[in-house]
Amino acid sequence: MKELILQTEVTVCTLDEMDASMRMLVEKAKEMTQNAYCPYSNYHVGAAVLLADGQVFAGANQENAAYPSGLCAERTTLFAANANHPNTPVKALAIACYTNGHFSNEPASPCGACRQVMLETEHRFKTPMQVILYGEDKCYVFDRASDLLPMNFVAENLLG
């Protein structure tokens, strides 16, 4: 038996320490929290993606009384970007959360389903997708979506 150690590097910074394009993306994600439909959880999540050609797409979580029927902000955003520009890689994704009258102090982490969609998007274009998790006190910046899901499942796994 042997042990496998997985390590993930993450940059911890403030919004002010980011470059202008990443700050803009985070601000768009923050803005999108106000478009969330979340009457059940009151947990407003906004996301924004920057495509390789400079276009920005944004989305928000959409809840439903039949809980499995809702969709997270990350997936609404990535699906909209990929549906409208299926051949344009996603360069970066920013995520922000707003609840109880303020933005989260700590960065909120995406759910497993969103991580899988982020990984598929990155794998599909064979290019890293930076992921920015916003918090009022600090932000986490991952160089690749695969850093959030190190033991991942991709198309090659289906081939055996």
Side-chain angles (χ1 to χ4, degrees):
M1 183 178 348
K2 78 183 204 187
E3 187 175 283
L4 176 64
I5 298 173
L6 304 174
Q7 294 182 330
T8 299
E9 290 186 29
V10 59
T11 300
V12 181
C13 62
T14 64
L15 185 59
D16 293 338
E17 294 174 309
M18 291 182 205
D19 68 37
S21 65
M22 294 304 107
R23 279 195 312 270
M24 175 276 304
L25 201 62
V26 169
E27 291 299 338
K28 186 65 175 174
K30 290 173 64 178
E31 177 186 319
M32 291 306 295
T33 63
Q34 301 310 301
N35 293 352
Y37 176 70
C38 52
Y40 309 104
S41 70
N42 196 35
Y43 193 70
H44 303 249
V45 182
V49 295
L50 174 64
L51 300 184
D53 65 3
Q55 292 186 80
V56 174
F57 277 79
N61 58 317
Q62 303 295 306
E63 293 181 349
N64 193 286
Y67 286 133
S69 300
L71 200 60
C72 300
E74 298 91 316
R75 286 182 279 159
T76 64
T77 304
L78 286 168
F79 291 158
N82 289 331
N84 286 284
H85 296 276
N87 299 314
T88 308
V90 176
K91 182 177 175 181
L93 167 71
I95 305 163
C97 301
Y98 183 89
T99 189
N100 298 321
H102 60 86
F103 287 100
S104 301
N105 290 330
E106 294 289 317
S109 187
C111 74
C114 287
R115 290 174 192 227
Q116 183 64 40
V117 169
M118 291 160 47
L119 175 71
E120 181 78 17
T121 301
E122 182 176 85
H123 191 73
R124 168 184 180 180
F125 294 112
K126 297 176 178 40
T127 184
M129 180 176 70
Q130 188 177 56
V131 178
I132 305 162
L133 307 179
Y134 172 77
E136 285 280 288
D137 295 339
K138 62 186 168 200
C139 301
Y140 294 153
V141 181
F142 295 86
D143 290 336
R144 293 168 299 281
S146 57
D147 290 340
L148 289 163
L149 194 60
M151 298 294 287
N152 53 59
F153 187 83
V154 292
E156 288 81 10
N157 297 110
L158 296 171
L159 303 174

